[in-house]
Amino acid sequence: MADVTMRVWRGDEDGGTFTEYVMPAVEGEVVLDVIHRIQAGPAPDLACRWNCKAGKCGSCSAEINGLPKLMCMTRMDVLPEGEPVVVAPMRTFPIIRDLVTDVAFNYTMARQVPPFKPREPEADGTYRMQQIDIERGQEFRKCIECFMCQDVCHVIRDHEENKASYAGPRMFIRFMELESHPLDTDDRRELLRERMGLGMCNITKCCTEVCPEHIKITDNAIIPLKERVVDASYDPVAWLGRKILRRTKRSALEAALDAPGQHTPTRQEQPTRPVVSATDHS
Amino acid sequence: MPDNSHDIETHDYDVVVIGAGGAGLRAAIEARELGQRTALVCKSLLGKAHTVMAEGGAAAAMGNVWSEDNWKVHFRDTMRGGKMLNNWRMAQLHAQESPDRIYELERWGALFDRTKDGRILQRDFGGHRYARLAHVGDRTGLELIRTLQQRAITLDIDVFMECKILRLLKDAEGAVSTAVGYWRPTGEMVSFTARAFVLATGSIGKSWLYTSNSWESTGDGHAMAAWAGADMIDMECVQFHPTGMVWPLSVRGILVTEGVRGDGGVLRNSEGRRFMFDYIPPMFAAETADSEEEGDRWYDDHLNNRRPPELLPRDEVARSINSEVKAGRGGPHGGVFLDIATRRSADEIRRRLPSMYHQFKELAGVDITAQPMEVGPTCHYMMGGVRVDAETEQTTVPGLFAAGEVAGGMHGANRLGGNSLSDLLVFGRRAGMAAAQFAQGRTRAPAVDGAEVAAVVAEAEAPFGRDGGESPYDLQSAIQQMMQQLVGIIRTEDELRRALGELDSLSERAQKMSVSGGRAYNPGWNLATDLPSMLTTSRLVAKGALERRESRGGHTREDYPKPDPELGKVNLVQRIDGDGNYTLEPEPLLEMPAELKELFEEEPH
Ligand SMILES: Cc1cc2nc3c(=O)[nH]c(=O)nc-3n(C[C@H](O)[C@H](O)[C@H](O)COP(=O)(O)OP(=O)(O)OC[C@H]3O[C@@H](n4cnc5c(N)ncnc54)[C@H](O)[C@@H]3O)c2cc1C
Ligand code: SF4
Ligand code: SF4
Ligand code: FES
C-alpha cells in the first residue's frame, strides 16, 4: 500500500510548527494508530493522550484536518487520499506539548456545578423512576468529556477573556442533566445565568456538530435551559410544577419542603501545577 | 538533566489514594467523608481510568428482575466461577454489600436503566444464575466513574492528575510513609507523605500483545507493592476474555462486551455450528442447556430452562474458542463468529448495545445488526494481586491498603463478568474506611528519607543520561510478544521456563535503554518508567504459572490439563525480598465456615 503523510503539530507553550512524517499505510488503521507508530519510530517523544482506543474515554481529542475529532475513531481511509493528514491540538486550551493541551479549565468549571441533591427515597430506601423519565438525563450522561464541544465554541475559542465567566456546552449539558433528573431538587438557574454565561451562547450549534456521542447539546440542553432561565421570572411555583410534571410521584407539599435554596459555587481549584499560557498555534 | 532530587515538591496528607478508577475514587470518597485530608493521584486525567471502559454492568444481587436472587446465590456463583480459589470472606462481603453500593450510586446521581416498575434493571451475564448486572446500556463504567468523580469533587478531595507514582518508601518501623513520582506534563518530580496509602492502580494487561487494557495497565501497583515487600497471591491467574475484536489488526484485542451474549448473542464456528454445546464441563452440566431450543427459551424463562453454554464462565468460553480455531474451524482472521444479528431485531441491538454497534461500524466497517462479529480471546483482567485482609483491604505491609483489580483473592482463579465493578465499590469503600482509621491511629508523622527519594529519582532519570540504547517502545513490544507467545492463554512448562529466561535478558536490556527529548510530557520516557513494573509483574505471572501444575480458571496448562484438588487448596504466595530475590510458597486458603460450605453441597435445579 502507499504511504501516508502526517503533518503533526509539534511544540509547546512557546510555540511550534508542523512536522511531517511519512509512514507506510496499514489497512484498517485510525489516526491514533499512525501517531503511535510515529512514537515507536521517528518521534518517541511525540506527546498525545489516549486510553481506551475505542471512543469511550474522550482522551484523544485533536483537530484533524481542521476539525475536532477523536483520533482513535477516525479511520485513515475516510480522510482524503493522497493528501497529508494534518493533526493539531485543540486550539481553545493552552498547549502543554504537541497534541496535549491543558484542559484544567473544564475541571475547574465542573467543580462549580452545585451537586446533585436528591429527594428522600421511598420507604424501602430506594427510588422508583420510569425509563422514559431518565432518558433525557441518560443522553447527557453519555458525555465522555472529550471537550471538543468546548473546543469549537466560539465564545471561548478565540476569547480567553470569556473563560472566567463562561462554562461552555459541556457544562450546560451537565446543568440540564441535573435539571432533568427526576430526583434532583436543587435550582441552579440563577447561577447558570449569572455565573455560567448561558446568555453568551448564541446557538450556533457548532458544539452539537462535533459531539462524538451525538448528544443534541443545543436542542436538548441549551435551548431548554435558556427557556427555563428567562421563564416565569424565577417563579418557584412554575419551576416546581415542572419538576413535578416529570412524574416523580411526589406531592406538591413534599416538593415544596425542599424548595430551592441559595447556593454558593464550591471553590476548590485544581491542585497546583504550573499553568501554561495560551498560545496561538494555528 | 536537571537534578532536583534534593528539592522536590512535597505534599502531605492523611490518606493518599493511588489510582482514580472506581476503586480509588470510592476509597478516596470514604476516607474524605471520615474527615481525612485526602489526595487522589492518577496517571491520566480524572475520569479516564480503565473503569470508564467497562461496558456490561455491575453485579449485585438486588433481586429486581428475579426475586429468587440473593447474596447466597451470588456468593455461590462467584466461588464456583473462581474455581473455589477465592478468598471466601471477600466473596461473601462482596455478595452481601454490592446492592447497597449500587443504591448508593443512585443516591449520588447515577441513572441506571429501569425495570417496568421503576427499579434498577439487571441483565444476564456469564456464570450468574440470575440476571444480576445493574447497567446503563453498554456504558456502565462511564456511569460509575462519572458518578464517583462528581461525588469526589464536591468533597474537597485534592486530585493530582497525570501524576505517576514510581515507588513506595517505608519508614524505620516498616510502614509505608512516602510515595515518589513525577508530573507527566512537566516531568518534575513530586513526593507525597501520608499516614496511609491505598493502591488502586488497576490491571497488568498491557504486558500482552492482544489486550483490552489501556496503556495505563502496566501493573505499577502490583509491582510497587511487591517491591515494598507485600505478599502477592495467585499471580498466574490472568483472565483472557473470550470475545475481543480480531480485525482490523490495529483494533485486535478491543473488548466486545459479554452483554452481547447476555442479550442473546451466540457463538458459531465457520461451519455455522453453535460449538459451545460441545464444550460443557461436568461442573456446569447440571445448570447448562443441552439443546439450542432450551437455551433460547431460557432468556424469557430462567426457572424452567437452563442457561445456554455461551454464558459459561469466561475461562471455559475462551478455551473453547481457542480449540475451535486450532481445529481449523475459525473465521478468516483467526476468530470465531459472534452473532446477534439473526437473534435480535436491529432496533433492539442498537438500543441495548449502542457502543458495540458504534465500535464495529466505525472501526471494522461491520454492521452488527446485519452481520456477525469475528471475535477471539484477549487479555482482560488480573485475578491475582496484592494479598489483602478481607475486611480492611490492608496488605501485609503496614500503612498500605489495596482495592480493585490490584488486589488479589476476591475472584479466585476466574472472575465473573460484572463482579469487578461491584468489587471496586465494596472494597474501595472498605479500604478507604480502614485507611482512614489507620491514619488516625498513626501517631508518628511519616518520615521521608532523602537518600531513598534521590535513588528513585535517579533511577527514573537514568535513561536520559544514556546514549544509543534500545528504545522503550521496542522493549515494550518485545515484552508483549513474548508474554503473548509464552505466557498466554494455554501454557506449558517448557514455554514458561523460556519466558523466565527471556525476562532475564529483557531486564538487562531495560537497564541499558535510552530516551530522547525533554521531560515535559514525553511518552517515550513515561513508557520507560512503566517498564520496570511490566517486567516485575510478568515475572510474577510466569513464576506462578510454572508452579501451578494444574489447570484452574484463567490458568490453563497444556501439560496439566486437569485441576489438581491439592493445588485447589492453596494460594501461591510470592514475595520479593530486600535484595530483589523472588520466593514462592503455597499457603492454605482460608477455611470456609460450615454454613457456607453447605451452599455448595446442594445442587441447584
Ligand atoms: C473494555 C472493558 C470492559 C469491562 N467491562 C466490565 C463490566 O462490564 N463489568 C465489570 O464488572 N468489569 C468490567 N471490566 C473490568 C473493570 O472495568 C476493571 O477491572 C476495573 O475498572 C478496574 O478498576 P480499578 O479501579 O481497579 O482500576 P482502573 O480503573 O484501571 O484505574 C486505575 C487507576 O490507577 C491509576 N494508576 C495506575 N498506575 C498508576 C501510577 N503508577 N501512579 C498513579 N496512578 C496510577 C490510573 O491512572 C487509574 O486512574 C471491563 C474492563 C475492560 C477493559
Ligand atoms: S451553540 Fe452555544 S455553546 Fe454551542 S458552540 Fe454555539 S455558542 Fe457555543
Ligand atoms: S458533550 Fe459531546 S463533545 Fe462535549 S465533551 Fe461531552 S462528548 Fe465531548
Ligand atoms: S482513546 Fe479513548 S476516546 Fe480515543
Side-chain angles (χ1 to χ4, degrees):
Chain A
M1 233 183 281
D3 286 342
V4 288
T5 303
M6 306 294 287
R7 201 170 280 170
V8 184
W9 195 85
R10 305 281 326 256
D12 55 25
E13 62 206 291
D14 302 322
T17 52
F18 284 95
T19 306
E20 248 178 44
Y21 302 94
V22 179
M23 305 296 292
V26 174
E27 188 190 349
E29 282 199 334
V30 294
V31 172
L32 185 62
D33 292 317
V34 188
I35 297 288
H36 282 164
R37 285 197 285 126
I38 297 174
Q39 289 179 324
D45 65 339
L46 167 60
C48 82
R49 283 197 182 102
W50 70 282
N51 278 67
C52 68
K53 216 170 165 293
K56 295 188 169 78
C57 72
S59 301
C60 65
S61 315
E63 299 191 3
I64 300 172
N65 291 344
L67 293 174
K69 288 253 161 65
L70 296 177
M71 288 191 281
C72 72
M73 294 303 280
T74 307
R75 281 176 66 120
M76 291 296 290
D77 57 16
V78 304
L79 300 169
E81 217 188 307
E83 287 173 31
V85 176
V86 182
V87 189
M90 289 192 285
R91 173 158 126 190
T92 299
F93 308 112
I95 293 283
I96 292 178
R97 225 168 73 76
D98 303 342
L99 301 176
V100 175
T101 57
D102 181 351
V103 291
F105 164 70
N106 304 289
Y107 288 93
T108 308
M109 280 299 165
R111 283 187 179 239
Q112 297 184 14
V113 181
F116 175 62
K117 194 173 153 204
R119 63 168 166 83
E120 288 299 308
E122 328 290 334
D124 67 0
T126 69
Y127 293 102
R128 302 286 180 278
M129 290 182 264
Q130 292 302 311
Q131 185 67 34
I132 189 171
D133 293 326
I134 64 168
E135 264 159 16
R136 182 46 45 83
Q138 284 188 332
E139 176 188 0
F140 303 132
R141 288 183 76 83
K142 284 194 308 193
C143 170
I144 57 174
E145 303 210 311
C146 66
F147 307 127
M148 296 197 297
C149 55
Q150 306 283 81
D151 181 44
V152 288
C153 180
H154 67 95
V155 178
I156 45 176
R157 187 167 169 92
D158 291 312
H159 296 277
E160 192 59 30
E161 69 282 6
N162 285 344
K163 280 187 185 165
S165 52
Y166 188 71
R170 159 60 186 123
M171 293 318 138
F172 295 150
I173 65 164
R174 170 75 175 134
F175 275 96
M176 189 59 195
E177 171 209 319
L178 289 163
E179 181 70 13
S180 57
H181 197 302
L183 305 179
D184 185 64
T185 58
D186 203 0
D187 183 357
R188 303 170 185 78
R189 290 173 304 163
E190 194 162 337
L191 175 76
L192 191 54
R193 192 180 59 110
E194 292 192 342
R195 292 283 314 277
M196 298 290 149
L198 183 66
M200 286 155 95
C201 156
N202 51 4
I203 323 187
T204 57
K205 299 200 183 186
C206 314
C207 48
T208 304
E209 274 162 31
V210 299
C211 178
E213 287 295 317
H214 307 292
I215 299 170
K216 297 216 164 49
I217 305 174
T218 13
D219 289 356
N220 290 347
I222 297 181
I223 293 172
L225 278 179
K226 280 178 178 263
E227 283 165 359
R228 287 173 188 221
V229 162
V230 293
D231 164 80
S233 53
Y234 296 95
D235 178 348
V237 176
W239 179 79
L240 280 176
R242 193 168 28 236
K243 287 242 149 189
I244 294 157
L245 273 182
R246 293 189 318 233
R247 304 200 289 133
T248 55
K249 297 190 190 146
R250 317 176 57 208
S251 71
L253 179 69
E254 265 181 308
L257 284 178
D258 47 30
Q262 285 300 102
H263 30 234
T264 18
T266 34
R267 62 132 206 114
Q268 306 158 18
E269 295 305 322
Q270 287 299 111
T272 47
R273 186 174 90 217
V275 176
V276 289
S277 63
T279 36
D280 185 5
H281 53 270
S282 50
Chain B
M1 275 305 104
D3 179 0
N4 47 8
S5 51
H6 40 274
D7 185 25
I8 77 173
E9 179 187 337
T10 302
H11 301 267
D12 181 63
Y13 286 92
D14 298 324
V15 176
V16 167
V17 179
I18 305 169
L25 277 162
R26 188 63 191 81
I29 289 171
E30 196 66 18
R32 183 72 196 112
E33 285 186 333
L34 292 169
Q36 303 301 294
R37 292 174 303 127
T38 305
L40 186 61
V41 187
C42 52
K43 282 206 278 193
S44 283
L45 294 173
L46 184 60
K48 312 291 185 201
H50 203 88
T51 299
V52 78
M53 294 176 227
E55 297 163 353
M62 300 187 284
N64 288 353
V65 173
W66 296 94
S67 58
E68 291 80 359
D69 200 12
N70 59 49
W71 76 260
K72 287 185 180 159
V73 189
H74 190 181
F75 167 73
R76 183 178 176 280
D77 289 348
T78 301
M79 294 291 304
R80 282 165 52 95
K83 304 294 174 333
M84 305 304 282
L85 205 61
N86 320 51
N87 175 323
W88 67 266
R89 181 61 179 149
M90 289 180 89
Q92 182 188 28
L93 289 170
H94 169 260
Q96 290 173 327
E97 295 179 4
S98 291
D100 283 350
R101 299 284 77 74
I102 298 293
Y103 287 125
E104 177 176 76
L105 287 184
E106 185 155 272
R107 284 199 296 283
W108 294 345
L111 286 172
F112 291 102
D113 286 351
R114 317 307 294 185
T115 61
K116 291 225 160 53
D117 66 346
R119 294 186 298 166
I120 295 176
L121 180 61
Q122 302 186 267
R123 78 152 40 113
D124 283 307
F125 241 54
H128 293 283
R129 174 128 47 113
Y130 298 110
R132 190 179 280 149
L133 271 69
H135 62 277
V136 186
D138 54 6
R139 53 165 193 84
T140 314
L142 173 64
E143 189 69 12
L144 190 129
I145 206 163
R146 205 62 89 228
T147 306
L148 293 173
Q149 173 186 351
Q150 285 162 351
R151 176 81 185 164
I153 60 170
T154 65
L155 292 174
D156 215 3
I157 292 168
D158 288 344
V159 185
F160 295 76
M161 305 195 282
E162 301 199 306
C163 180
K164 169 173 164 119
I165 302 298
L166 295 160
R167 285 269 181 172
L168 302 170
L169 305 178
K170 298 191 277 190
D171 64 12
E173 266 89 66
V176 176
S177 58
T178 309
V180 186
Y182 63 88
W183 288 107
R184 295 176 63 226
T186 61
E188 302 286 337
M189 292 288 166
V190 58
S191 76
F192 298 86
T193 53
R195 284 152 202 270
F197 290 84
V198 180
L199 278 178
T201 47
S203 190
I204 69 166
K206 202 59 197 170
S207 295
W208 282 264
L209 192 56
Y210 303 130
T211 174
S212 65
N213 290 190
S214 86
W215 71 270
E216 293 197 286
S217 302
T218 47
D220 296 359
H222 289 82
M224 287 192 282
W227 294 331
D231 285 6
M232 310 296 292
I233 56 169
D234 302 332
M235 291 294 287
E236 61 284 3
C237 296
V238 179
Q239 178 170 78
F240 290 81
H241 193 291
T243 60
M245 292 176 81
V246 295
W247 188 256
L249 214 49
S250 66
V251 298
R252 180 146 189 178
I254 291 182
L255 194 76
V256 180
T257 176
E258 190 167 319
V260 175
R261 280 170 287 140
D263 285 354
V266 296
L267 290 164
R268 294 183 207 280
N269 61 21
S270 57
E271 295 158 6
R273 178 169 170 73
R274 277 178 70 178
F275 59 85
M276 280 309 300
F277 283 98
D278 307 333
Y279 293 94
I280 303 170
M283 184 180 187
F284 295 99
E287 50 202 73
T288 308
D290 52 18
S291 72
E292 295 192 17
E293 295 69 29
E294 180 181 2
D296 288 349
R297 286 195 305 267
W298 173 86
Y299 288 97
D300 299 315
D301 180 1
H302 284 24
L303 296 183
N304 299 307
N305 298 285
R306 293 169 300 173
R307 61 181 44 248
E310 278 87 0
L311 290 175
L312 282 165
R314 289 179 176 170
D315 51 333
E316 314 286 354
V317 183
R319 267 194 302 272
S320 312
I321 294 178
N322 206 64
S323 307
E324 282 299 300
V325 175
K326 265 200 176 155
R329 293 188 291 270
H333 307 109
V336 294
F337 300 102
L338 174 59
D339 166 32
I340 184 124
T342 66
R343 313 254 316 156
R344 297 288 179 262
S345 74
D347 264 2
E348 193 180 344
I349 297 168
R350 272 191 297 262
R351 185 168 51 77
R352 306 267 308 160
L353 301 161
S355 74
M356 280 306 107
Y357 174 74
H358 193 65
Q359 182 174 312
F360 272 89
K361 190 107 191 154
E362 303 284 322
L363 296 177
V366 167
D367 176 356
I368 68 167
T369 68
Q371 294 158 274
M373 305 160 237
E374 194 177 346
V375 295
T378 178
C379 179
H380 184 57
Y381 186 87
M382 181 59 184
M383 275 79 64
V386 188
R387 180 191 244 181
V388 293
D389 168 64
E391 321 272 334
T392 61
E393 308 350 293
Q394 165 125 17
T395 68
T396 51
V397 178
L400 185 62
F401 299 77
E405 200 165 337
V406 67
M410 160 67 206
H411 305 285
N414 174 54
R415 173 180 72 95
L416 295 186
N419 268 359
S420 170
L421 290 185
S422 36
D423 158 358
L424 309 181
L425 299 169
V426 168
F427 297 109
R429 170 175 164 276
R430 283 182 162 269
M433 214 154 48
Q437 240 163 37
F438 186 92
Q440 279 163 328
R442 185 164 172 179
T443 43
R444 268 171 51 105
V448 199
D449 179 340
E452 280 188 72
V453 174
V456 176
V457 173
E459 189 193 334
E461 287 173 341
F464 280 116
R466 291 190 284 253
D467 272 332
E470 240 178 309
S471 133
Y473 294 96
D474 292 347
L475 275 166
Q476 185 197 36
S477 133
I479 297 173
Q480 292 168 334
Q481 307 264 2
M482 189 281 286
M483 290 299 283
Q484 186 75 33
Q485 259 180 24
L486 303 179
V487 197
I489 173 164
I490 312 285
R491 302 157 177 180
T492 65
E493 169 125 13
D494 172 50
E495 289 180 342
L496 292 167
R497 289 200 188 279
R498 270 171 47 212
L500 287 166
E502 297 266 335
L503 282 166
D504 288 337
S505 69
L506 284 162
S507 302
E508 265 168 47
R509 282 159 65 185
Q511 293 297 317
K512 295 186 217 122
M513 78 185 146
S514 59
V515 300
S516 57
R519 297 182 50 151
Y521 227 112
N522 181 342
W525 176 51
N526 296 169
L527 176 58
T529 65
D530 289 340
L531 291 177
S533 328
M534 295 177 73
L535 289 164
T536 295
T537 48
S538 296
R539 187 180 295 276
L540 290 166
V541 173
K543 280 193 178 283
L546 185 62
E547 285 307 314
R548 195 171 275 287
R549 293 188 173 80
E550 64 162 349
S551 292
R552 182 175 299 275
H555 170 66
T556 306
R557 286 281 299 258
E558 199 171 68
D559 39 1
Y560 299 93
K562 294 226 155 51
D564 173 343
E566 289 311 308
L567 283 168
K569 293 181 192 150
V570 295
N571 292 125
L572 295 188
V573 183
Q574 298 195 62
R575 296 183 192 96
I576 305 180
D577 70 17
D579 302 322
N581 301 314
Y582 289 61
T583 57
L584 183 149
E585 269 167 76
E587 288 184 23
L589 299 177
L590 293 180
E591 181 74 17
M592 195 190 296
E595 74 268 21
L596 291 179
K597 273 192 189 147
E598 275 169 22
L599 294 172
F600 300 90
E601 279 147 24
E602 61 195 55
E603 274 308 304
H605 54 268

